[in-house]
Amino acid sequence: MADVRLTEIRKSFGALDIIKGVDLSIETGEFVVFVGPSGCGKSTLLRMIAGLEDITSGELTIGGSVMNDVDPSKRGIAMVFQSYALYPHMTVRENMGFALRFAGMAKEEIERRVTDAANILELGPLMDRKPKALSGGQRQRVAIGRAIVRNPDVFLFDEPLSNLDAELRVHMRVEIAKLHKTLKSTIIYVTHDQVEAMTLADKIVVLRAGVVEQVGAPLDLYDDPNNTFVAGFIGSPRMNFLKAQVASIAPGFVTVSLANQPDVQLRLPAAAPSVKVGDEVSIGVRPEHFRAAGQGDADLVVAVDVAEHLGNTSYVYAHVSAGERIIIERAESRSAINREKLTVGLSAASSFLFDSAGTRVR
């Protein structure tokens, strides 16, 4: 196992900058997830660590050694791709041992490593099957086993579950989490699915347009986002954002009025706020932080579009005005939700305040 350090890493294709000066430290044994929307640069960054993309500038080290110009096969990494990339004419056993045979390893050592990996991944009954006889989840386990047998310093996963159906994705998330606990290895994992990121990661790296927006433990990012991008990306369902305007500022507090219901005001604690009276801002409220009417610091009336009942919890999809849609999580009787309008309470203690640029004010 080894640590990974990225210092001012940049990647450009001609005049187009893809990765724009990333600084990142990944400790030995950490499970780090790169997350962000399509096109944010997360897979490009992973491929640069793997050596599949050249680094335009900056320095990459693995285990203290500079890897910028080192061949991918000599970096001590193993990569699991979105496509399983199994040889269709080989059995599971042959697929898992192929790289070791190609490297000239002794037959007995290959057999030992393949058997150990098969035991970890519970592949024993499948060893003599060919890929066409395997399910998607089984094929991905074989691809992971092929990485394990190499005893890498660092595992790299590039959206490994995106080709699986929803139920299999949940199962494989559990399997990968168990694998990390068993091997205690350094894992760098790329996904666009923030649920995967929250489930698996010790540390999440949120990327947007080639820039790291925030790095932290999953619940730290959930509870303490730096801006509206992170706040809206981390969490399912996403955070709601209500348009508002600064009505007044007092020492340690900012009072805002909602843009579409100006009689609704919320007094929010904010030390040395970077906003002034009259500024346009937004209030961030997570779906589970809405209160029952009269139980918050202010009441908000919304028009209900549809209620989604999921057993003990219901999600209400509603709007404050045209174009300002919100999601409310409720644990109350279904009959109380099945109406055209709903009054909910806003809590100052569990609301976030963002300025017009999307930067967190409190």
Side-chain angles (χ1 to χ4, degrees):
M1 295 188 294
D3 59 351
V4 179
R5 300 280 185 267
L6 289 77
T7 306
E8 267 297 302
I9 292 290
R10 295 179 180 273
K11 177 64 179 179
S12 301
F13 293 100
L16 181 62
D17 294 329
I18 303 298
I19 303 296
K20 304 169 184 176
V22 168
D23 291 297
L24 184 64
S25 295
I26 298 169
E27 304 305 326
T28 299
E30 268 193 319
F31 196 129
V32 175
V33 176
F34 295 169
V35 70
S38 297
C40 70
K42 55 189 183 295
S43 288
T44 300
L45 194 58
L46 191 77
R47 289 172 64 85
M48 292 165 75
I49 295 170
L52 302 179
E53 293 283 357
D54 293 333
I55 296 171
T56 301
S57 66
E59 184 178 88
L60 166 70
T61 66
I62 299 177
S65 300
V66 177
M67 292 290 170
N68 288 46
D69 300 315
V70 175
D71 188 87
S73 64
K74 298 178 181 178
R75 295 190 178 200
I77 57 96
M79 192 162 181
V80 179
F81 296 92
Q82 178 178 345
S83 59
Y84 317 118
L86 302 178
Y87 295 107
H89 62 289
M90 293 184 183
T91 64
V92 168
R93 188 186 311 278
E94 291 167 340
N95 264 286
M96 289 174 63
F98 176 77
L100 305 184
R101 292 195 305 274
F102 186 78
M105 186 174 289
K107 184 177 179 181
E108 295 77 11
E109 179 63 12
I110 294 173
E111 183 63 28
R112 184 188 67 78
R113 291 195 186 191
V114 169
T115 300
D116 287 347
N119 290 337
I120 290 170
L121 296 166
E122 300 179 359
L123 289 171
L126 309 176
M127 297 301 283
D128 294 319
R129 293 189 191 180
K130 292 184 177 178
K132 66 180 180 182
L134 304 176
S135 69
Q138 290 169 338
R139 291 178 192 179
Q140 195 56 278
R141 280 157 61 198
V142 175
I144 293 170
R146 187 174 54 190
I148 290 175
V149 299
R150 297 179 59 188
N151 289 341
D153 294 322
V154 181
F155 285 91
L156 306 179
F157 289 81
D158 190 7
E159 302 204 42
L161 309 185
S162 59
N163 287 339
L164 305 181
D165 62 38
E167 186 174 349
L168 261 179
R169 282 202 301 274
V170 173
H171 174 71
M172 285 304 300
R173 283 205 300 267
V174 173
E175 292 301 312
I176 291 172
K178 286 166 58 181
L179 175 68
H180 180 242
K181 188 176 292 186
T182 299
L183 298 179
K184 296 180 173 57
S185 48
T186 305
I187 295 178
I188 306 174
Y189 187 105
V190 162
T191 181
H192 64 275
D193 184 339
Q194 56 86 25
V195 174
E196 276 183 34
M198 294 288 288
T199 303
L200 292 171
D202 297 320
K203 184 163 70 182
I204 295 176
V205 180
V206 183
L207 289 151
R208 176 170 59 166
V211 174
V212 174
E213 290 287 340
Q214 192 169 352
V215 178
L219 291 180
D220 289 343
L221 297 188
Y222 188 84
D223 294 332
D224 195 20
N226 285 344
N227 52 46
T228 52
F229 178 80
V230 175
F233 200 86
I234 299 295
S236 181
R238 72 193 299 273
M239 182 182 285
N240 300 290
F241 299 104
L242 300 169
K243 298 175 184 175
Q245 189 174 53
V246 177
S248 65
I249 297 176
F253 290 93
V254 173
T255 300
V256 299
S257 57
L258 297 192
N260 294 301
Q261 291 187 31
D263 56 324
V264 178
Q265 293 195 333
L266 198 61
R267 188 170 184 254
L268 299 163
S274 57
V275 293
K276 60 183 184 298
V277 173
D279 280 358
E280 292 183 354
V281 293
S282 57
I283 301 170
V285 185
R286 293 210 178 272
E288 68 271 23
H289 289 160
F290 286 103
R291 306 286 182 84
Q295 294 186 11
D297 299 297
D299 281 347
L300 173 68
V301 179
V302 299
V304 176
D305 296 319
V306 66
E308 185 178 56
H309 302 298
L310 304 174
N312 290 335
T313 299
S314 297
Y315 289 111
V316 181
Y317 296 83
H319 61 274
V320 182
S321 66
E324 191 172 24
R325 302 191 177 278
I326 62 172
I327 303 173
I328 302 163
E329 181 179 326
R330 302 305 297 267
E332 62 180 53
S333 66
R334 298 173 186 177
S335 60
I337 297 173
N338 294 330
R339 52 178 182 256
E340 291 185 359
K341 290 194 177 296
L342 183 67
T343 301
V344 292
L346 296 174
S347 166
S350 54
S351 297
F352 298 84
L353 181 62
F354 302 93
D355 65 21
S356 58
T359 303
R360 173 93 171 275
V361 175
R362 61 84 53 192

